[in-house]
Structure formats: structure tokens, C-alpha cells
Amino acid sequence: MKPYLHILVAAAMAVISFSPAGAEKLVILHTNDTHSQIDPDERDGLGGIARRKVIIDSVRAADKNVMLIDAGDFVQGTLYFNLYRGKVEQEMMNALGYDLRILGNHEFDNGIDELADVLADSESELLATNYDLSATPLAREFKPFTIREFGDKTVGFIAINLDPKGMISDGNYNGLVYNDAVKAANAAAWWLKHIDKVDAVIAVTHIGYDPAMPPGDKMLAGLSEDIDVIIGGHSHDLIKPDGSNKGLNPEVPNADGRDVLVTQTGKQGKYVGRIEIDLDSLTTDYSLIRVDSRLDNRLDKSLLDKIKPYRAGVDSLMALPVGRSAIDLPKESQELLNFASDFVLAEGRQLADSVDFAIVNKGGLRRGLSKGSITEGELICMLPFYNYVNVLDIKGKDLLEVFDVMARTDGNGVSESVDAVYDPATGKCLSVTVDGRQLDPDRTYRIATIDYLAKGGDYMTALTRGTTVAKSHKVLYQALIDAFRKGYLKGKTIKPSSTVRMHPAG
């Protein structure tokens, strides 16, 4: 524990009182991974920042001790971010009155300097416990933990984040030092409970519930002794209070056998979590509030007026047609993943000769495409990141390591010439063929991918052993728009293959 205590001792401890003495109940409203979803999702009609404000305002009106918390990734996923680079989301979070926020990995998508500029306008308290930000532009904005008073009770809050290596693009988090998540969380929680004598410790995290690359919230809860509640994010899990989502138990026994409440609200602001804590008994009541159209007759006009100027730019791109699809292509569909993979292969073959196949991460696809007209805005939202196609020469033995990493996340995107079979239990590939031939560990292959993966993103570290042959100078979504407007997709109605190219054995 000692290496982490300097982080804690250095903290400026702001203690804020919320209510008269004698209060026993704290209500926490929380969100995570809202991903720039300012408007309701057009496919299922859920979410929307103005609807969320209705919920928040009604709870604040009913209860005197209320905190509003976000567990990260408040940006990236709609045109609001691509066009306005976080300004809209930041303005909305101030308007909703978030009390406490932590970082997500996508907060770094435009680099740490630009993130610092955006967060300079934040009116929330910002926490980062296991990120040492002292050598970054964020140093003044963040504290390692905080304590809040509610009557005669005190609650400590800590913030736990994932290891940026392999998840955030190199160069986007310069100066940030990562400390082990579990060790830092336990050290901070111990300090709060045993030195500052708080009544409860709440960990706000962005590490995922039970990720393929641990630790996650489930592990953190199991290894803890002093954490009472974990408010999570990153894995987009909707943890139901009754535990009915398979594998997502909201009650996880800690190292002492005491249950820790672990929550998460999915993604895109479609639900708001509500935790009620009895600060005498530390019993909790957890529920999910659906953000839907029943709230539309109570929307705050002043908030809608703030959004309106930004919406004009979004709407213009969403109405600009560039192509057509013969079928619906939902975000999670094999067809969309195949389309993206084959497109990267086609782009790679324009950059260099003899490209064997392509690798794409399914996490890079952020929305689907509907049957019929495809618009420029939809393509940007589908591939919103500032990624570029890279062509690499790389040994087969290194590619086999990459395929094992992809197997641990139930497969990923590969182009039409590839067939890979993996064992879900071990996370290992049993067979990889390219053009009908087994992948040869000793052969050098030429592959197309995106620069994020080429730099080891999504834990594909072995790709960094390849030699770069060529790089595109076009952002991926712009290259796709150009393919529809004047390239090989011009005038075509797409109908991607449904073949599962990476599949489990059996």
C-alpha cells in the first residue's frame, strides 16, 4: 500500500456539506458511456439529454441529499463530437449540474491538451485516483479523492481508470502515469475508512464489469475490504437490479464476504441509475430509470434552446445522401463488420501491392446503417474515430498472437479471404486460414489495418512488430465517403456478406 499513499496524502480534501445534521439517506443518480448522445437514439427512441434533465430535476425536487455522477466516456459516438469536439457535451453536463465526474478512455480521443481545454469549463468536481496527472495539462483539474458530508455522515469517493496502454492511442495521453487499479483503489479506500473515518466509500470506475483484459469491477469488488459501492462504466453493461442479465450480478462478495453493490447503466444515456444509501446501516436500494418519450411533455425549453444551434450542423450532414444499402446493417451485425473489413482491404490495396487481408476492430463501429439511403453523417457516425488505413508487413507468428487477442473478445473483423476458428474457453485460435491455406508462422504477410491497431490498440501489441509499408492520408470515414461519391462504391447498392469469418469451434 505504501507506494500509493503519497497520492492520497497530497490530495486537497474538499469537504462539502449537503444537508442539516441528522440526514441518513443519500440518493445517487449516475450515468456512464453516454457517448455524445445529445438526442434520443433514432433506432429505439431512448435517451436524450433533455429527457435526462427531467429525471434529475424531479429527483432533486423530492430528495434533499442528491448527487449526480458520471463514470466516463461522455464523448464520442455522434456528430456532436465530430463537429464540436466536446464543447456541446461539456455545456450539457454543466446544465444538468453533474456533481462528480471521472475520465473515460474516449475523453482522450482528441489528445490530452484538447481534453484539458474542454474540461477547463467543467463545473463538476473531477477525480482520478490511479492516474497521476501531475505532469499533464490536467493536473489542476483533478483530485485523487474527495469527501462529502451529509448531515452527520461522511462519504468518500475515489475514481479508478483502466490502463491506457493498448486502449488509448499513443501520443494522446502524454505525461499520464498509470498506477495499478486494484492496489490504488484499496489504498485509497483504506485511507478514507481508517484515517479519515468516513462512513462509506464509493468507487466510481471506468474499467468494465468483467473485461477480457482484467481488472474489472467484479474483480475489484472481490479483492476489496473498504469499498461499499462501485459505480462502473466502460463495458456498456446494463446491470439490472435483480441480476437477470446473465453474468452481471449487482452484488459481489468482497474479501470479507460482505456484498458490494456494483452498478452500470449500459450506454448512450438510455437509463439513469438510482442508488439510495441508508448511511446508518449502509444498506442500498438500486434501480434503473428508463429515459424515454413519457418525459417529453416536461422538457426544459431553455435546455432545448441551448442545443438548437448545434443541431443544425448535425442535421445537415445526416440528410446528405452518398449511397444505398440493400439490407439493414445493425451495429452488432456480422454484415456491417464484414463491410468495414472488406473496405479497409480495398483501401489497403490502393496503397500497396499484394495485400493479403485486413484486420478491423469491431469496437471501431459505433452505429449501424439502415436499409435504403446512406448519408454522409451516418458514415461518420459509423466510423467516427480519426483513424487511417496502414499497410504492414508482419510475420505469421506475430499475427497468430493477434488472432488470439481477437479470440478473447469473441472474434473481430477480418476480410473475406480469412477464416478463423477459436476456443471461447481458452481464448485461443485453433485454426487460421488465408485464401484456404493455414497461416504460416514463418511467412511474412502484408495486411491492411487502421493506425490505432497498428500501434497496438485494443491490446493487439503484436501488430507493433510489423513494418509499415504505406499509410493513407485520409481519415477512414472520409475515405469511405469518397468511395461512395467517386470510388469503387459509386452508384452501387451494398449488400455485405453474412459469413462469420471468426467463429467459435463446434
Side-chain angles (χ1 to χ4, degrees), residues 442-462:
D442 297 320
R443 180 189 154 184
T444 296
Y445 290 84
R446 180 163 288 181
I447 69 162
T449 188
I450 56 174
D451 58 331
Y452 170 68
L453 299 182
K455 294 175 183 177
D458 276 8
Y459 307 107
M460 298 187 198
T461 309

Side-chain angles (χ1 to χ4, degrees), residues 350-414:
Q350 290 186 36
L351 295 169
D353 295 331
S354 306
V355 178
D356 294 297
F357 63 95
I359 292 174
V360 172
N361 59 329
K362 60 188 176 185
L365 301 174
R366 308 306 281 195
R367 69 154 287 155
L369 301 174
S370 299
K371 179 181 179 180
S373 178
I374 298 171
T375 71
E376 185 170 323
E378 288 172 334
L379 293 180
I380 296 172
C381 290
M382 184 185 89
L383 296 167
F385 306 108
Y386 298 113
N387 290 325
Y388 300 81
V389 174
N390 282 15
V391 177
L392 311 175
D393 282 350
I394 186 169
K395 284 287 189 180
K397 64 180 181 179
D398 296 320
L399 285 171
L400 288 172
E401 285 187 35
V402 172
F403 274 93
D404 284 345
V405 171
M406 294 195 289
R408 291 201 291 272
T409 56
D410 295 321
N412 234 309
V414 291

Side-chain angles (χ1 to χ4, degrees), residues 135-207:
T136 77
L138 297 172
R140 291 187 178 183
E141 306 294 339
F142 283 82
K143 298 190 301 185
F145 60 94
T146 192
I147 296 174
R148 301 282 180 119
E149 286 186 355
F150 303 94
D152 62 352
K153 304 294 182 181
T154 55
V155 179
F157 294 86
I158 63 176
I160 301 300
N161 285 95
L162 52 74
D163 188 343
K165 187 67 177 176
M167 184 53 63
I168 300 174
S169 293
D170 284 350
N172 281 11
Y173 60 96
N174 291 343
L176 184 158
V177 177
Y178 170 80
N179 291 306
D180 182 272
V182 174
K183 291 179 180 178
N186 282 336
W190 179 90
W191 181 278
L192 287 166
K193 277 281 180 78
H194 298 279
I195 304 301
D196 287 311
K197 305 295 184 183
V198 300
D199 296 286
V201 173
I202 296 174
V204 187
T205 75
H206 197 84
I207 57 177

